[in-house]
Amino acid sequence: MAFALPVWLAVQEELLEYGATDYGAPSCFDEFDDEALFEMFHLTRPCLSFIRDAVCIRIKKVTVKKPALSVDAMVMVALNFYAQGVFSVAVLQGVGLSQIDCPAVINTVSGVIAGMADQFISFPLTGEAKANVALKVEKLCGIPNVLGVLAPAHFKIRASPYEKDTFRSFVNTLGYTSVVSQIMCDSDGNLLSVEKCCVGSTFEQDMWESSFKGREMEEELHGPYCVIAGRGYHLSKHVLTPVSEPTNDNETRFNEAHKKIHNVMRTTLGSMKRRFRCLMQLGFAQEGSLDKKSNIIKACCVLHNIAMKFSVPPPPVVGKIEHLHPGKLRSVAVELNPEALKARQELMNSIFSVVSSSEDPPNKGIREEEV
């Protein structure tokens, strides 16, 4: 995931190739000091400059005619909306844009940034990269051969209660309306994969089985590695879930280690929602047209990884961090894969049968005040 410098150089090369005449020119962001920039956009000046340059390249690639607003102004409006969840009057007045025109700007910029996902959200592909990611996970929790954490990420939306069937499809396991994306991250909170945008009632296992990354993992295109997942997923050779009802110390220790790495996803999603408050409420959604919501979610995921590479801290924690959603279980019990059960049992017996007194116990996870 160490792509900041190579990607920065690629951005500069593309700027020269596509003749970006506004590269290095005065920017809308220059009007604000560093403190005001962070308050308005939850990002730092170097990070904002990088995002502005990257979006500039791609808007020139995808648009036939010159946008009515400058790229600076479009990026400013979009980033301010992502950070605050609303359109700030000061920003709109500064760029001369009315609220009526804001959705079109957000949709354009979100589509452009979402299209950058292949470059900025990268799953480890080489043998060395996979080994490095797995080693960091093992150092954190003791579980070997893990490439990352898999979880459903729910984002609140509004749906009309008068359309009963559609409304019910958006209601998730916690009882509110949402859309859900399948997200994977590594032990540092870098996003490795973002797929799907489904109604909130979707089963996690269905998302996994129909996703590109799920098919790749289960078809062993990534070798013997696995991902950590919660109870909404089925235990398999490549999806490691906790023991439902631990009956001995080995299983308890394993569950504690599993929770420790699984909590990284909780921390990551909490950080994203603090930085990009638009994810706290995405507005009205319709079941048949989720592309615009998907682009906003994916755009925020791209920006999260860029912020991570620029070491930009998220805004401080206010209140408790939202828990990950409990898995949506089938009404009929699913028969577990006997080979996967055996492999998990062997793992628990070999790794978690004895806890060395010189090592930190695996139940010391990330505390909320450390986020």
Side-chain angles (χ1 to χ4, degrees):
M1 293 295 294
F3 55 69
L5 180 58
V7 170
W8 178 258
L9 294 175
V11 168
Q12 290 180 310
E13 183 179 345
E14 288 187 86
L15 281 165
L16 294 173
E17 178 183 352
Y18 283 87
T21 55
D22 50 352
Y23 174 58
S27 164
C28 295
F29 299 102
D30 296 339
E31 300 175 13
F32 305 95
D33 62 27
D34 291 348
E35 184 178 351
L37 282 178
F38 189 82
E39 184 177 344
M40 295 176 69
F41 306 104
H42 298 160
L43 298 167
T44 58
R45 190 179 302 277
C47 186
L48 287 167
S49 297
F50 180 82
I51 293 166
R52 174 239 186 185
D53 292 342
V55 174
C56 179
I57 297 167
R58 287 158 182 80
I59 283 186
K60 288 179 178 291
K61 287 182 179 181
V62 303
T63 56
V64 177
K65 59 182 181 179
K66 187 175 181 179
L69 282 180
S70 69
V71 174
D72 269 0
M74 294 176 68
V75 172
M76 175 175 282
V77 170
L79 294 185
N80 181 244
F81 169 74
Y82 298 150
Q84 306 299 332
V86 295
F87 300 112
S88 299
V89 175
V91 170
L92 297 185
Q93 289 178 344
V95 300
L97 188 69
S98 69
Q99 286 208 11
I100 296 176
D101 298 321
C102 286
V105 172
I106 300 303
N107 291 338
T108 298
V109 176
S110 296
V112 169
I113 298 178
M116 295 156 55
D118 289 346
Q119 190 171 5
F120 291 92
I121 301 176
S122 57
F123 195 80
L125 297 178
T126 67
E128 182 181 5
K130 291 173 186 175
N132 288 338
V133 171
L135 181 60
K136 294 184 81 170
V137 173
E138 187 172 4
K139 286 182 177 179
L140 175 66
C141 68
I143 304 176
N145 299 323
V146 173
L147 287 183
V149 185
L150 170 70
H154 283 262
F155 306 99
K156 291 181 180 179
I157 57 95
R158 296 186 177 96
S160 172
Y162 299 106
E163 300 176 6
K164 293 184 179 180
D165 291 340
T166 300
F167 184 82
R168 281 196 292 265
S169 72
F170 282 108
V171 178
N172 61 33
T173 50
L174 293 183
Y176 63 82
T177 50
S178 69
V179 291
V180 57
S181 293
Q182 176 181 283
I183 290 183
M184 296 174 63
C185 74
D186 64 15
S187 58
D188 292 323
N190 296 298
L191 299 183
L192 305 176
S193 173
V194 180
E195 287 193 62
K196 319 292 281 184
C197 182
C198 307
V199 294
S201 63
T202 307
F203 286 94
E204 289 90 334
Q205 185 64 24
D206 289 346
M207 284 196 294
W208 174 247
E209 291 176 355
S210 62
S211 69
F212 291 110
K213 204 55 64 183
R215 291 195 293 269
E216 288 177 4
M217 292 289 293
E218 298 298 352
E219 291 172 6
E220 301 198 352
L221 297 184
H222 294 285
Y225 295 98
C226 66
V227 292
I228 294 291
R231 291 185 171 88
Y233 296 89
H234 299 170
L235 175 68
S236 73
K237 187 176 180 181
H238 298 284
V239 178
L240 193 56
T241 59
V243 178
S244 300
E245 298 178 0
T247 58
N248 56 53
D249 290 344
N250 292 2
E251 293 176 351
T252 298
R253 293 188 192 107
F254 168 76
N255 275 8
E256 289 172 347
H258 186 285
K259 181 179 179 180
K260 185 172 186 178
I261 180 62
H262 198 245
N263 273 344
V264 172
M265 178 63 81
R266 179 191 178 200
T267 303
T268 300
L269 291 177
S271 173
M272 277 184 57
K273 289 182 179 182
R274 294 201 309 279
R275 191 187 303 280
F276 307 115
R277 291 176 186 161
C278 69
L279 298 178
M280 301 293 288
Q281 176 52 257
L282 287 171
F284 281 95
Q286 295 179 325
E287 187 171 356
S289 56
L290 297 179
D291 288 348
K292 292 178 181 178
K293 305 304 180 189
S294 177
N295 280 345
I296 291 175
I297 293 167
K298 189 167 284 189
C300 290
C301 290
V302 168
L303 296 172
H304 165 83
N305 272 8
I306 294 175
M308 290 281 289
K309 293 309 167 189
F310 278 84
S311 301
V312 184
V317 177
V318 179
K320 292 185 178 181
I321 300 175
E322 182 180 334
H323 286 279
L324 291 177
H325 279 249
K328 185 177 181 182
L329 303 177
R330 306 279 184 182
S331 56
V332 179
V334 177
E335 185 177 351
L336 295 178
N337 183 324
E339 290 186 6
L341 275 172
K342 180 181 178 183
R344 186 176 67 179
Q345 190 62 51
E346 290 176 349
L347 170 67
M348 290 186 291
N349 291 342
S350 61
I351 304 295
F352 296 99
S353 59
V354 176
V355 176
S356 171
S357 60
S358 63
E359 297 177 350
D360 291 331
N363 63 342
K364 288 188 178 179
I366 299 174
R367 297 175 299 175
E368 292 181 1
E369 60 268 29
E370 295 175 334
V371 179

